[in-house]
Amino acid sequence: MKKIIEGPAYVLGNNIDTDQIIPADKLMYSLSDPEEKKFYGQFALSGVPDAQSGLPKGQMSFVNEGEFSSPYKIIVGGNNFGCGSSREHAPACLEIAGVEAVVAESFARIFYRNSIDGGFFIPFETEVSVYQEIETDDILRIDVEKGTLENKTKNKTYNLKPLGDVADIIEAGDIFQYAKKAGLIKT
Amino acid sequence: MGMTITEKILAAHAQRDRVEPGENIWVDVDVLMTHDVCGPGTISIFKKQFGKQAKVWDPDKVVIIPDHYIFTKDEKANRNIDILRDFVKEQDLPHYYDVGTENYKGVCHVALAEEGFNRPGEVLFGTDSHTSTSGAFGLFSTGIGNTDAAFILGTGKLWVRIPETMRFEFTGEFPPYIMAKDILLQVIGDIGVDGATYRSMEWTGEAVMSLSMEERMTLCNMAIEAGGKNGIIEADQVTKEYNQGKTSIDGQFYSSDSDAKYYYKKTYDASKMEPVVAKPHSPDNKALARECEDVKLDRCYIGSCTGGKTTDFIAAAKLLKGNTVKIDTYIVPATVEVEKDLSIQKIEGETLLDIFKNAGCRIGEPSCAACLGGPADTFGRTQGEEIVISTTNRNFPGRMGSKKSSVYLAAPYTAAASALTGHITDPRKFL
Ligand code: SF4
């Protein structure tokens, strides 16, 4: 598990659903074939309406035209991030685009589970709503052990909610590594 | 302290006497369902983690129902079906409902019920968020991702956090113009799209227990639209009769203890319910149908796991019989079984199918179709700025295809009434 995650923020609002994260007509690419998998990076967040893409201004691309990964490492959202479908393509596409952490006031549960069990990135919940105080392109620094989120651009630090029991799965890497460590499955 | 149905089922599947909300436990899985969108990903993770030669933990407990991208020329979508076929063959799986064969069913959640996989007291996981539908049979069911499904394929187990339970009780009797979708959109409107996040939604009261299995399924289907982990209704005589001849497993009938602890309890007077819609672009954007009469529509869509069952079409046909629709109206039966019913069920001597055809509706083939947009050639998919009234369960931006289209969710009665007028219409006008 990374101890420090640092990079520019991409800010989204409340109720970002899985159709916005990866639209249904893009789900046909294979997630196991490296040549096809990269398209998930290209289409990550492509369903978000333009006005809400990269708050507060909007109209900002998450992935630049023709690219397969994003310059943004940390996504910041409001509440109920990842609601909607159970498609694991959603957390997967964010990882493929280069995302290392998503910070939100709250997550929809299947998305949260998928992020952790699949080992895609760490979903952090904040104690207070932060998405209205952070602007896209602000430089953020997450201290995983301390459980803090620092906005270096605005010089402000927030507390993250403790990860609780799931920290063990995150620490192990994914649900399979965890189960192997715990002796639940044989290698 | 007593326990809720959900707590009792999960405890029993972890060989425990009791469990508390918030605890993480490992449970034994009775059924794992997957479909064409998430099956291939699940299979590839299974092979990567357990080895190329690995066998699934119990072939009899794996159910594969392709339904999402079926009637399309899209090559990649069709390739997904090939992957499922190869896996079924290799693992010798008995419960596969292949496209283009007599076995084909259609939408997975309705097919699970028709094929007798919803057995009271069991634990069922599916790689689809609306897997909560099965909870209508008094079992624990919820949606999971590919990784978790692959884990189950290899081990037959999964960790779950015991959810807190929210109890929604409906006393008295529903008026005849109220359908399960109205009840649900009302509740989601009241608690919000994240009002039940991580929690169980338990439906109870004499009005709920008077509903058919199909209507109960609609209630549990959309637990996820409130963020819920599962929806559940205790099994009773209605459940037992529905399952007769479909499965030889009676299952275990649990009910919640009177002193069970709930996170939230609300009682509604069933007789006071009114037809409601969810306005674009969120299932909790509730309004009464009669307040939206100024909304002009381009299209009506009646279908999906939550609004494409036989009872949904009987409701729509009651209004459409002898009338002509004013807007493009798409009829998509959820399954082959439902499609057959359209030619069998009659209202005053006329089959549902004839009623729809004579009213000027277009009839699609059983599948998810435009419920989730899908490839460009999908039946009923929005392509531009259409304003749609739909019996599906989600109206997020772009869900039915085009990001520019707007979707109003409604019960089949309201959808059919609106098809007849061309604007959102309270069905009481026609009933
Ligand atoms: S009909 Fe719609 S909601 Fe139901 S399983 Fe298919 S895509 Fe999902």
Side-chain angles (χ1 to χ4, degrees):
Chain A
M1 176 159 67
K2 264 201 166 180
K3 300 216 166 13
I4 302 290
I5 300 168
E6 188 168 339
Y10 189 78
V11 183
L12 296 163
N14 291 321
N15 300 317
I16 297 298
D17 69 85
T18 51
D19 284 275
Q20 295 184 57
I21 298 173
I22 184 80
D25 59 356
K26 302 290 186 299
L27 301 179
M28 270 73 81
Y29 297 106
S30 163
L31 274 166
S32 47
D33 176 326
E35 265 315 293
E36 280 185 37
K37 187 176 161 179
K38 63 180 194 205
F39 287 102
Y40 283 104
Q42 182 162 59
F43 294 119
L45 296 180
S46 63
V48 180
D50 294 343
Q52 280 102 56
S53 295
L55 296 177
K57 293 194 204 81
Q59 322 283 346
M60 297 176 79
S61 325
F62 176 63
V63 177
N64 293 325
E65 193 72 30
E67 307 262 320
F68 295 96
S69 63
S70 168
Y72 299 104
K73 274 210 168 66
I74 301 174
I75 292 177
V76 177
N79 53 43
N80 206 23
F81 193 95
C83 60
S85 126
S86 64
R87 64 185 72 146
E88 198 160 300
H89 315 70
C93 79
L94 297 180
E95 188 206 27
I96 295 165
V99 169
E100 293 180 10
V102 178
V103 181
E105 199 178 340
S106 68
F107 288 92
R109 63 159 279 280
I110 306 181
F111 182 89
Y112 185 76
R113 248 195 107 94
N114 286 345
S115 309
I116 290 168
D117 283 359
F120 297 111
F121 50 78
I122 313 181
F124 289 104
E125 291 186 327
T126 51
E127 282 174 354
V128 292
S129 181
V130 297
Y131 81 96
Q132 280 152 319
E133 297 186 11
I134 299 172
E135 290 183 48
T136 297
D137 283 324
D138 281 1
I139 301 296
L140 304 182
R141 182 177 194 271
I142 294 171
D143 186 321
V144 179
E145 277 175 356
K146 277 202 204 133
T148 53
L149 168 74
E150 183 190 350
N151 185 339
K152 293 176 92 168
T153 309
K154 299 214 163 43
N155 222 341
K156 201 165 170 192
T157 302
Y158 309 87
N159 284 331
L160 299 167
K161 281 194 191 162
L163 291 166
D165 289 351
V166 298
D168 295 339
I169 302 177
I170 296 170
E171 182 73 51
D174 61 29
I175 187 179
F176 296 101
Q177 302 302 328
Y178 172 77
K180 278 172 198 163
K181 261 193 176 170
L184 284 156
I185 50 177
K186 291 180 208 80
T187 23
Chain B
M1 180 65 72
M3 289 194 287
T4 66
I5 315 176
T6 297
E7 289 158 11
K8 287 182 186 181
I9 297 172
L10 293 173
H13 283 75
Q15 291 82 46
R16 294 261 300 261
D17 293 332
R18 59 171 306 115
V19 291
E20 304 287 339
E23 266 186 277
N24 288 334
I25 59 164
W26 290 88
V27 294
D28 295 327
V29 179
D30 295 307
V31 177
L32 173 70
M33 186 280 298
T34 188
H35 53 44
D36 55 309
V37 177
C38 296
T42 299
I43 293 166
S44 91
I45 298 172
F46 169 71
K47 300 219 155 192
K48 188 171 153 216
Q49 295 291 342
F50 294 97
K52 284 219 158 36
Q53 307 302 324
K55 290 281 174 202
V56 305
W57 98 104
D58 187 344
D60 199 36
K61 293 183 173 169
V62 180
V63 183
I64 304 185
I65 310 177
D67 57 355
H68 277 61
Y69 301 143
I70 301 303
F71 304 107
T72 172
K73 293 202 177 68
D74 189 284
E75 272 173 33
K76 290 201 169 62
N78 290 325
R79 180 185 62 183
N80 278 344
I81 310 276
D82 293 336
I83 297 174
L84 296 180
R85 267 182 207 143
D86 290 347
F87 188 68
V88 165
K89 224 165 143 196
E90 166 201 309
Q91 300 277 332
D92 209 4
L93 301 178
H95 309 298
Y96 176 53
Y97 300 93
D98 202 359
V99 188
T101 72
E102 272 183 12
N103 259 336
Y104 177 69
K105 289 288 159 219
V107 181
C108 56
H109 310 300
V110 183
L112 278 173
E114 291 170 354
E115 292 298 300
F117 291 108
N118 290 341
R119 297 160 310 222
E122 292 200 344
V123 168
L124 182 154
F125 288 100
T127 58
D128 190 284
S129 60
H130 292 105
T131 303
S132 57
T133 311
S134 295
F137 291 73
L139 57 90
F140 176 83
S141 63
T142 192
I144 51 171
N146 300 355
T147 298
D148 285 348
F151 191 89
I152 295 175
L153 274 184
T155 65
K157 289 184 189 298
L158 192 63
W159 71 271
V160 260
R161 175 164 300 173
I162 307 296
E164 293 172 307
T165 300
M166 296 171 84
R167 185 174 184 268
F168 302 90
E169 181 184 14
F170 287 80
T171 57
E173 229 178 285
F174 291 119
Y177 46 83
I178 288 298
M179 299 192 71
K181 185 58 69 63
D182 295 303
I183 306 165
L184 194 83
L185 292 176
Q186 173 73 42
V187 167
I188 296 178
D190 291 347
I191 64 173
V193 279
D194 58 355
T197 298
Y198 297 119
R199 302 194 191 101
S200 172
M201 294 175 85
E202 183 177 309
W203 302 90
T204 185
E206 67 258 26
V208 168
M209 299 318 286
S210 74
L211 297 175
S212 66
M213 282 321 293
E214 286 84 351
E215 287 281 270
R216 293 182 190 185
M217 284 162 71
T218 299
L219 273 187
C220 293
N221 177 281
M222 288 180 64
I224 182 71
E225 264 62 65
K229 181 172 209 145
N230 67 319
I232 199 157
I233 299 174
E234 82 175 47
D236 63 359
Q237 197 54 30
V238 180
T239 324
K240 205 170 172 174
E241 275 163 27
Y242 182 97
N243 269 353
Q244 215 137 55
K246 295 188 174 73
T247 168
S248 56
I249 304 171
D250 292 338
Q252 184 97 29
F253 288 47
Y254 291 102
S255 43
S256 292
D257 295 324
S258 54
D259 60 344
K261 202 170 140 208
Y262 289 95
Y263 172 85
Y264 169 102
K265 271 187 187 179
K266 182 154 177 181
T267 304
Y268 290 82
D269 177 349
S271 68
K272 298 240 163 71
M273 305 296 292
E274 289 203 65
V276 289
V277 298
K279 298 186 285 182
H281 295 282
S282 184
D284 64 354
N285 200 1
K286 180 193 70 181
L288 294 177
R290 62 180 164 81
E291 292 167 349
C292 300
E293 303 246 329
D294 56 340
V295 176
K296 284 224 166 25
L297 299 163
D298 301 306
R299 177 177 296 187
C300 168
Y301 185 97
I302 305 180
S304 88
C305 50
T306 189
K309 302 182 287 309
T310 301
T311 48
D312 297 312
F313 291 116
I314 293 175
K318 272 190 208 160
L319 272 70
L320 296 180
K321 186 174 163 59
N323 288 315
T324 309
V325 295
K326 279 228 172 73
I327 49 176
D328 286 344
T329 299
Y330 293 78
I331 301 281
V332 186
T335 61
V336 172
E337 216 45 49
V338 174
E339 185 184 44
K340 279 187 204 145
D341 273 348
L342 295 186
S343 307
I344 298 169
Q345 300 270 351
K346 289 181 183 163
I347 297 177
E348 291 161 24
E350 195 179 9
T351 64
L352 303 183
L353 188 65
D354 286 336
I355 293 173
F356 293 139
K357 281 189 179 156
N358 293 335
C361 306
R362 302 183 200 191
I363 324 275
E365 292 176 273
S367 77
C368 296
C371 175
L372 84 163
D377 60 352
T378 304
F379 184 75
R381 184 188 192 276
T382 58
Q383 311 287 358
E385 297 182 6
E386 299 91 338
I387 300 174
V388 187
I389 190 152
S390 172
T391 66
T392 51
N393 42 29
R394 290 197 171 131
N395 58 350
F396 304 134
R399 170 71 179 182
M400 289 190 85
S402 160
K403 263 203 242 182
K404 296 197 183 99
S405 61
S406 308
V407 178
Y408 289 78
L409 304 177
Y413 275 147
T414 305
S418 307
L420 291 175
T421 61
H423 58 84
I424 292 181
T425 302
D426 187 314
R428 280 174 285 191
K429 282 225 167 100
F430 294 92
L431 282 163

